[in-house]
Structure formats: C-alpha cells, structure tokens
Amino acid sequence: MPRAGVLTGGGDSPGINAALRAIVRFGMKHGVEVVGFLEGWRGPLENLIQPMTVGDVSGILHIGGTILGSSRTNPFKTQGGPERIVENLEVNAIDFLVAIGGEDTMGVAHRLSNELGVKAIGIPQTIDNDIAMTDYSIGFWSALEAVTDALDRLHTTAASHHRVLILEVMGRDAGWLSLMGGVAGGADVILIPEEAFDLDSIFRKIKRRELLKKRFSIIIVAEGARPEGLGGQVIAEAQVDEFGHVRLGGVGQFIANQLSERMRMPVRVTNLAYLQRGGSPAPFDRILATRFGAASVEFALEGTFDVMTALRGVKIEPVSLADALAKSRPVSEGLRYLIGLFE
Ligand code: F6P
C-alpha cells in the first residue's frame, strides 16, 4: 500500500482542512495510506507525525486553520536538515509527500525533489493569491469574504460620521485582497503594492468627495503598498523569518498620519490583520481544496511529481513546480483598471 506524507506550512488559511480531508478520503479509496507531519517542515525535520485516518479528518471540512499546525521552518537553514527529512521519510516508509502552502513551503518541496530526489507535490494555499500558474490558491476567496464584510461594516459606521476610514489588509507584495476586496466592498480609494501611491492624489480624491457632499471616504490599502518617494514598504518588524521575509504592516497608520495633518475630518485606521485569515472556509475554497487534494493523490498514483496542483480555467492540472515558483503573481494588468473605474 503506497504511503503519503502530508504537511501544511506558512501562514494558514481557511480551506486547508478540506484539502487534508480529501487527500485522506480519496487516498483511502485508492489504497493510499496517509501520515500527517506536524507544524510545516518542522514535522519531517523532527519526525513529528500524526496518523491520518478517515476518522481523524472527519468533521473538519468547515473548520479554518489546519489540524496539522503550521510553521515557517526552512529545513535548508538547518545543518543537515534536508538529509534528516529524507531519513525521516524513509523511517516512516513514505513514498511521496504533499506540501500544502505558499511559495516558501512549495519552494522547499521543489528543492527536496530536485536536490535529494524526494517525490513531492505542492498544493497552493495562501490568502495572498500570489502563486503563479494557478488561477486561485486555497484561502483567497475566504479572506476576500472577510475583507468585504469588514468594508460593509466600516461603511455603515462611516456613514454616520464625517470621517475617513482606512482598512489595511494583508497580501504581502500582491494586491489581490486589496483590489478585489475594494471593488466588492465599494472602497473609494484602492491602494495596491503593484502601483506606488501618491498622498496628494488621495487627498484630492477625498476633497472631491467632500465637494459632492459625501460625508465620508473609505480607503483600502494592502500592507505592501508603497508611498511614492518613501523608498519602500512600511515594515512592522524588521527581523526576517527563515525564508528572508520581514513582517509588513503599518502603512494604514502612515497614511492616516499624513492625511490628518491636512484635513479637518478625523482619519481612523482598522488593521484587519489575522481576522482575514481565520474563520470558516468559503464554499469556493472548500470545493477548490477538495479538488486539489483528490487530484494530488491522482497525480502521485500516475507517477507525476515535482509539480504543483493548479486551477487553470475550470480544470485542475499539474504544472511544473519550477515554473510555478519562477515568477511572482502581481495583480494582473487586465484587472487594474478597476482601481480607477469610477473616477
Ligand atoms: O502569506 C500570508 C500572510 O498572511 C501575508 O499576507 C502576511 O504578510 C504574512 O502572511 C503574515 O505572516 P505571519 O503570520 O508570520 O505574521
């Protein structure tokens, strides 16, 4: 009986559990036994395992987060780390590994595959939706719901006051949550990392709304958005993680401070932070994750490895991990017109 290992790494998002459930249930149907590794790449590194039977994945379809836990562990940062992973895979008689996560998690899977011959498959999962070669990653649509809901709530309170309300959302270097959330929630100003913003033009937009007797304005800003002339992104924590990323955050407050100096209306900030990553998965993510999970087992049984399971149009297809990881995925040019649609 083939044995699959599965792990979930990086920032979590709603829908991961649905993928785990599908891997185990579809696996069982096709004679594949599944073992879970806990806490991302720390699991196979330190041999932290958990059996994954159909009973273990029962009742988790609608629950956010990951029952396996997650971490930002990079085994290539530990002396002999990758070799230890290969040893632990052998100890547990694992034939192939499914790594669910973003570019960092899948990047490790690709290196292990390339450099040490591990049979690995990646499943794209990130609320940032910044993975190339797939139309969507698990978690994006759920986070988008949270962003839209937050904007709806801000609208009702904003309408009662003369205020500028700023909503800061995640996304790292990609503006998908900000752009799509801003359109769905009717934000008056949408700021994304892909286009540096100019404070004067934000100021002018708000003034224009005031002239039209609008009592309030709502700005949505991606954590990675860059003010023109500042030279970079606003950083919440300069210390880098094991993959070399700083923690972004604070651009909303930066804008609020700048605007407050120039206008009488109060400017207030809400940082949606981890609220957009938690909660139940949206139906789209439950279905996508179920398809990704089952298809990954199918690809493995066909002997297709070093691939990412991707959504391409309406089809689920394997794409080379090297190609998927070779480039980033900014908000597509074709969608950016939405930012200024009503100006
Ligand atoms: O990549 C997912 C993400 O939520 C980003 O949007 C955000 O910048 C980052 O993770 C936050 O990381 P952490 O959970 O380590 O604070």
Side-chain angles (χ1 to χ4, degrees), residues 121-144:
I121 294 182
I123 293 185
Q125 172 278 124
T126 165
I127 63 165
D128 303 343
N129 204 37
D130 59 351
I131 308 290
M133 312 275 301
T134 184
D135 292 348
Y136 294 109
S137 298
I138 296 173
F140 172 67
W141 282 93
S142 306
L144 191 57

Side-chain angles (χ1 to χ4, degrees), residues 169-185:
V169 297
M170 286 183 168
R172 212 161 331 239
D173 298 317
W176 291 97
L177 280 174
S178 182
L179 177 86
M180 307 272 266
V183 172

Side-chain angles (χ1 to χ4, degrees), residues 83-272:
E83 292 74 18
R84 244 160 66 196
I85 289 187
V86 172
E87 256 172 54
N88 286 330
L89 293 180
E90 275 168 19
V91 165
N92 292 292
I94 301 296
D95 297 297
F96 67 92
L97 197 55
V98 181
I100 305 177
E103 53 164 346
D104 297 333
T105 304
M106 291 194 293
V108 171
H110 176 54
R111 282 191 69 181
L112 287 173
S113 181
N114 229 13
E115 297 170 27
L116 290 112
V118 171
K119 290 179 176 165
I121 294 182
I123 293 185
Q125 172 278 124
T126 165
I127 63 165
D128 303 343
N129 204 37
D130 59 351
I131 308 290
M133 312 275 301
T134 184
D135 292 348
Y136 294 109
S137 298
I138 296 173
F140 172 67
W141 282 93
S142 306
L144 191 57
E145 252 183 37
V147 171
T148 307
D149 179 59
L151 285 174
D152 289 349
R153 287 167 188 269
L154 289 177
H155 260 105
T156 62
T157 176
S160 314
H161 303 269
H162 286 276
R163 277 183 185 163
V164 176
L165 293 184
I166 302 175
L167 180 68
E168 181 176 322
V169 297
M170 286 183 168
R172 212 161 331 239
D173 298 317
W176 291 97
L177 280 174
S178 182
L179 177 86
M180 307 272 266
V183 172
D188 305 300
V189 177
I190 297 174
L191 306 174
I192 60 173
E194 290 82 349
E195 290 173 13
F197 64 84
D198 161 40
L199 281 158
D200 287 339
S201 87
I202 298 175
F203 181 72
R204 280 197 301 273
K205 272 183 204 166
I206 294 170
K207 283 285 153 200
R208 227 179 293 140
R209 281 178 55 82
E210 277 184 332
L211 291 175
L212 294 170
K213 302 275 181 276
K214 304 276 187 185
R215 288 165 66 84
F216 66 90
S217 288
I218 291 187
I219 301 174
I220 185 166
V221 59
E223 61 178 3
R226 288 162 295 126
E228 237 172 35
L230 194 80
Q233 293 164 314
V234 181
I235 288 166
E237 203 179 293
Q239 202 187 343
V240 292
D241 67 15
E242 292 191 10
F243 290 94
H245 303 297
V246 292
R247 197 159 65 78
L248 297 172
V251 65
Q253 192 57 54
F254 170 84
I255 297 169
N257 296 344
Q258 303 290 317
L259 289 181
S260 296
E261 285 176 10
R262 300 172 64 172
M263 52 185 26
R264 277 196 305 274
M265 255 205 282
V267 185
R268 304 271 158 82
V269 184
T270 302
N271 189 340
L272 199 52

Side-chain angles (χ1 to χ4, degrees), residues 280-331:
S280 297
F284 185 91
D285 280 326
R286 298 181 195 198
I287 296 164
L288 182 68
T290 300
R291 295 179 74 195
F292 275 174
S296 300
V297 173
E298 219 166 57
F299 299 153
L301 291 175
E302 287 162 12
T304 308
F305 295 108
D306 199 16
V307 291
M308 178 180 84
T309 303
L311 177 70
R312 320 259 300 156
V314 293
K315 288 197 179 143
I316 305 288
E317 292 174 358
V319 298
S320 128
L321 262 174
D323 291 347
L325 298 168
K327 38 186 191 302
S328 60
R329 182 164 182 254
V331 167

